[in-house]
Amino acid sequence: MAKKQLEEDMLAGGSINADKDKAKAKAEKLAAKNKAKKEKLDAKRASIKSEIDKLKEQKEKCENEEEKKTLDAKIKKLSDKYNSVGSAPNGLAPRTKKIIQSAVCIVIVVALLVTYVSTGLVRKGFIASLSIPAQTLTAATITNGTEKAKVKVSTYNFYFASTYNSLISQQSSYEQYGLDLADMGMDVDFDQPLSKQTYTDPETNETMTWSEHMEELVLDSIESTYTYYLEAVAQNDGEEPEITEEQQSEIDEALDSYKETANQYGYTLSGYLVRAMGKGVTEAVFRTEATRQYIAQNYQSELSSSTTSADVTEEEVTAYKDENIDNYKTVDIKIFECSTEDDAKAFADELKADGSNFAELAVKYSSGDFYKRAYAEDTFSTVTGATRNNLISHGYAIATPDDSDAEELTYSGLDWLFSSDRKAGDIKQESTTVVYVLSPAEVTDRKTVNVRHILIAPENADENAQAVDATESQWNAAYSKAESILNEWKSGDATEDSFAALVADNSTDTGSTENGGLYEDVATGEMVDPFSNWCFDSSRKAGDTAIVMTEYGYHIMYFVGTNNELIWYHSAEQDLINENSTSATDKLEEAYTLKVNWFGSRYFEKDVDIDS
């Protein structure tokens, strides 16, 4: 739907140019680049979701309450990561990331109005909704001393609706994964007045009403958007930069959709919007604020990506690596996550000193037909070149913080694994995780690689089902198709170009179909383990092909080649660039301040309309 795409594009961002005549062309070019980034992020989100589903399945079968709590913590961590992937460009300040994750701009839930109309719970007073105060009174002023904007009450109400609907979506996501809403700080009933419910800040323990918490979120979101909007205008000689044609089209399509729905209930478009979004939020306000959000996101993206590898020296990157050496050490391990701690203890007891029966035990302690089949291959339990962050992001129990509420998190399990005392053959059982060390922690001389692939996913009868839910016959059919495609390629000229030509018509990986299945500068830990293990096999050479099974299907692999850049250098360079970009965004955000107008705040949307 247009509204969904609009949200995603708002988060993806774009670019502007200080030269107005070139702004549109540059924005269009970066929009295409961001589209490719978005597709890669979609693939990453799919990977995270698969991990969540696997943990959720383990939880459903678990009878031990302590183990359930451990699984809940892992699910929460991955769920938060799933929701944050793609939410903010690299280099955003922490405050901005929080704002963007909390209020995702223009997601106007059409069903919300339908509920109001069908039950009679419409906002009180049509004339009041279009009231002059909301359109004329100042809600807040944002300034850096030079640039200044007075935000109307109608704008505040626009952001209130966006934030409100975003929180409903966030709560729904947590419920979907069986998480405790109280632990998530989302134990709020959106069918009841927010002013009657209490919110406690998980970081400060400060208590307030949910209505007051909402106001904080809305004002933060307005301040962030207008900070980047005002700076974008200032850098464009005082003129509003153009947004891309695609962005403009998304606004038009969203409003056309809302207009069609409004007409079904006998409303004008503005009448519809004020009921769905609040007093003063007419079509003109919607268009203005949607455009400004795009401009802000575009400039934010440009600022975040303005620092490039050309701006940092080799000496600076090396020094940065040395200062943060633990972030770039990697381990090669065999690892398995059991359903219960008792299973993990039994697994470790049965594991031979040479690790030769690791795959056999992984099959024994797996749940589900797919995983019993998959873990029969060593590649499924082997992790090549894992960093501490890689293991944390995968949600392994060994990578669970000792105290998740501590101000500074510590990880005793990872401290053991990355200790200088480790040696090949060491075994560790930590909660539900079993680890066998293949190569202890070190900064390796591995280099990034380029690879192409064609993903053949099993065809499930249920289009919403995951590949892991496919039957054995469906998996066998997928393998036969992959084998047929690879043999067809081998019988031809068998070149990289001919391989790339097969991708568009065969691959189900939407993130790489437009560029011939190519992934460049791949580092260890970036791809799912079997895929990564094949790429970083020490015997790998340009032109190698294979069929590799992962939880997404069968990958027909083509190894393009190894690059000259060391993985640690590539990672440290990107981290340094992001740190420099964060400094730039922090500096800008600190320059702008927001001051609420007391009189205008009397007209703020404070709550959803509940018919008493």
Side-chain angles (χ1 to χ4, degrees):
M1 292 178 65
K3 61 180 182 180
K4 180 179 180 182
Q5 187 63 45
L6 179 58
E7 175 193 359
E8 293 172 341
D9 286 346
M10 287 293 295
L11 297 177
S15 179
I16 64 168
N17 191 301
D19 182 349
K20 186 178 181 182
D21 293 337
K22 297 180 180 179
K24 186 175 180 180
K26 184 175 180 182
E28 295 284 1
K29 181 178 179 180
L30 193 53
K33 179 179 179 181
N34 282 335
K35 181 181 179 182
K37 286 184 179 179
K38 175 185 172 300
E39 289 174 340
K40 188 173 182 179
L41 288 173
D42 285 344
K44 188 173 183 180
R45 284 167 65 87
S47 175
I48 297 170
K49 186 178 185 303
S50 178
E51 291 288 335
I52 293 172
D53 290 340
K54 185 163 66 172
L55 291 174
K56 189 177 178 183
E57 181 182 348
Q58 291 178 12
K59 179 186 172 184
E60 290 175 351
K61 296 179 179 179
C62 181
E63 297 181 356
N64 185 294
E65 290 302 318
E66 288 301 315
E67 298 302 335
K68 283 185 177 181
K69 290 181 180 179
T70 299
L71 290 170
D72 273 338
K74 296 177 186 177
I75 293 170
K76 175 186 179 297
K77 185 184 300 181
L78 286 174
S79 182
D80 287 341
K81 182 179 179 182
Y82 177 88
N83 288 326
S84 67
V85 168
S87 294
N90 288 334
L92 262 58
R95 179 172 68 86
T96 304
K97 289 183 181 179
K98 179 180 177 182
I99 292 165
I100 293 177
Q101 290 169 8
S102 300
V104 210
C105 306
I106 313 176
V107 189
I108 314 306
V109 181
V110 176
L112 187 62
L113 176 65
V114 174
T115 301
Y116 287 158
V117 173
S118 64
T119 60
L121 301 179
V122 296
R123 294 182 180 274
K124 314 303 187 290
F126 179 68
I127 299 300
S129 294
L130 290 171
S131 63
I132 298 301
Q135 296 175 325
T136 58
L137 288 181
T138 299
T141 302
I142 299 108
T143 182
N144 67 350
T146 303
E147 309 304 326
K148 183 176 182 180
K150 290 186 176 182
V151 175
K152 303 300 181 185
V153 172
S154 55
T155 294
Y156 177 93
N157 293 342
F158 172 91
Y159 279 86
F160 180 94
S162 300
T163 304
Y164 174 76
N165 288 321
S166 174
L167 289 174
I168 289 178
S169 177
Q170 185 178 347
Q171 186 187 69
S172 176
S173 176
Y174 287 151
E175 288 177 325
Q176 177 185 354
Y177 294 115
L179 298 175
D180 188 323
L181 295 181
D183 290 342
M184 304 296 104
M186 285 296 294
D187 54 336
V188 55
D189 184 351
F190 287 107
D191 290 328
Q192 300 298 324
L194 301 182
S195 55
K196 303 296 184 182
Q197 301 178 67
T198 301
Y199 170 82
T200 301
D201 190 305
E203 295 181 2
T204 65
N205 286 324
E206 180 183 358
T207 300
M208 64 190 77
T209 67
W210 257 93
S211 182
E212 291 169 333
H213 176 52
M214 280 285 293
E215 183 170 321
E216 285 187 348
L217 291 175
V218 173
L219 291 173
D220 281 348
S221 189
I222 291 172
E223 182 178 2
S224 176
T225 297
Y226 270 81
T227 290
Y228 290 97
Y229 167 74
L230 290 172
E231 195 67 16
V233 172
Q235 296 299 321
N236 200 48
D237 298 328
E239 298 289 336
E240 222 180 51
E242 293 186 51
I243 60 177
T244 69
E245 289 182 0
E246 185 176 3
Q247 289 169 341
Q248 186 60 61
S249 175
E250 293 294 351
I251 294 175
D252 293 339
E253 288 178 14
L255 286 172
D256 286 344
S257 174
Y258 305 149
K259 184 176 182 179
E260 182 179 345
T261 302
N263 289 342
Q264 293 176 6
Y265 293 97
Y267 295 127
T268 64
L269 176 55
S270 289
Y272 171 92
L273 290 173
V274 295
R275 281 167 170 73
M277 302 195 72
K279 299 179 179 67
V281 188
T282 61
E283 177 184 358
V285 170
F286 185 102
R287 285 190 180 277
T288 297
E289 296 309 321
T291 300
R292 288 180 178 180
Q293 285 181 324
Y294 270 132
I295 291 171
Q297 292 288 339
N298 291 350
Y299 184 76
Q300 191 174 58
S301 178
E302 181 181 83
L303 184 62
S304 298
S305 60
S306 60
T307 303
T308 67
S309 57
D311 298 316
V312 295
T313 66
E314 183 176 338
E315 291 75 15
E316 289 173 329
V317 174
T318 301
Y320 186 85
K321 180 263 293 183
D322 292 340
E323 292 170 4
N324 303 275
I325 191 69
D326 287 344
N327 293 340
Y328 307 107
K329 288 181 178 179
T330 63
V331 293
D332 292 353
I333 57 176
K334 290 181 180 295
I335 188 167
F336 185 79
E337 194 71 20
C338 293
S339 298
T340 68
E341 189 167 336
D342 287 341
D343 280 353
K345 290 177 180 178
F347 188 119
D349 289 342
E350 297 173 51
L351 182 58
K352 295 179 181 178
D354 63 0
S356 59
N357 63 334
F358 200 99
E360 176 186 333
L361 292 173
V363 172
K364 177 179 178 179
Y365 290 99
S366 290
S367 57
D369 293 339
F370 168 79
Y371 291 106
K372 287 188 176 295
R373 177 179 180 177
Y375 276 110
E377 302 293 332
D378 273 337
T379 186
F380 257 83
S381 53
T382 300
V383 180
T384 302
T387 64
R388 291 173 68 99
N389 286 336
N390 290 153
L391 297 174
I392 290 172
S393 67
H394 277 76
Y396 291 113
I398 196 171
T400 300
D402 301 321
D403 180 2
S404 59
D405 295 325
E407 185 172 337
E408 186 172 345
L409 298 181
T410 57
Y411 300 83
S412 57
L414 292 181
D415 290 343
W416 176 89
L417 181 56
F418 284 83
S419 168
S420 58
D421 295 333
R422 289 289 68 72
K423 61 184 182 299
D426 282 352
I427 297 172
K428 175 73 168 178
Q429 177 261 319
E430 179 82 11
S431 184
T432 52
T433 304
V434 179
V435 171
Y436 181 89
V437 178
L438 296 172
S439 297
E442 63 176 333
V443 178
T444 71
D445 59 358
R446 286 190 177 109
K447 297 178 179 180
T448 62
V449 301
N450 296 342
V451 62
R452 293 184 187 272
H453 83 129
I454 301 170
L455 175 61
I456 307 300
E459 295 182 2
N460 293 336
D462 181 357
E463 61 180 16
N464 295 319
Q466 301 292 313
V468 295
D469 298 322
T471 64
E472 183 175 357
S473 63
Q474 289 168 335
W475 274 99
N476 290 339
Y479 180 81
S480 296
K481 182 177 179 180
E483 188 176 42
S484 175
I485 292 171
L486 182 58
N487 289 336
E488 176 188 347
W489 172 79
K490 287 180 177 179
S491 67
D493 57 9
T495 64
E496 181 183 349
D497 287 342
S498 62
F499 186 94
L502 292 171
V503 173
D505 292 334
N506 294 287
S507 184
T508 55
D509 175 19
T510 58
S512 65
T513 51
E514 293 185 0
N515 64 346
L518 179 64
Y519 283 101
E520 297 180 291
D521 299 319
V522 176
T524 52
E526 286 188 349
M527 301 297 190
V528 288
D529 294 332
F531 189 111
S532 184
N533 293 335
W534 185 86
C535 290
F536 290 97
D537 187 300
S538 59
S539 66
R540 194 63 55 232
K541 60 184 183 298
D544 281 356
T545 59
I547 297 176
V548 174
M549 180 187 186
T550 73
E551 58 205 77
Y552 301 109
Y554 285 104
H555 303 254
I556 309 171
M557 309 290 293
Y558 180 94
F559 192 73
V560 178
T562 302
N563 302 314
N564 293 322
E565 188 171 47
L566 294 166
I567 289 176
W568 72 257
Y569 187 93
H570 176 78
S571 299
E573 181 182 57
Q574 293 305 308
D575 290 344
L576 179 56
I577 288 171
N578 289 341
E579 187 172 290
N580 290 344
S581 296
T582 301
S583 297
T585 56
D586 280 346
K587 184 177 180 181
L588 177 60
E589 291 178 3
E590 289 170 3
Y592 282 84
T593 58
L594 178 145
K595 183 178 180 180
V596 176
N597 179 282
W598 179 87
F599 188 67
S601 69
R602 302 306 91 187
Y603 292 84
F604 285 178
E605 287 290 338
K606 295 288 185 180
D607 217 330
V608 292
D609 289 313
I610 304 297
D611 192 343
S612 58

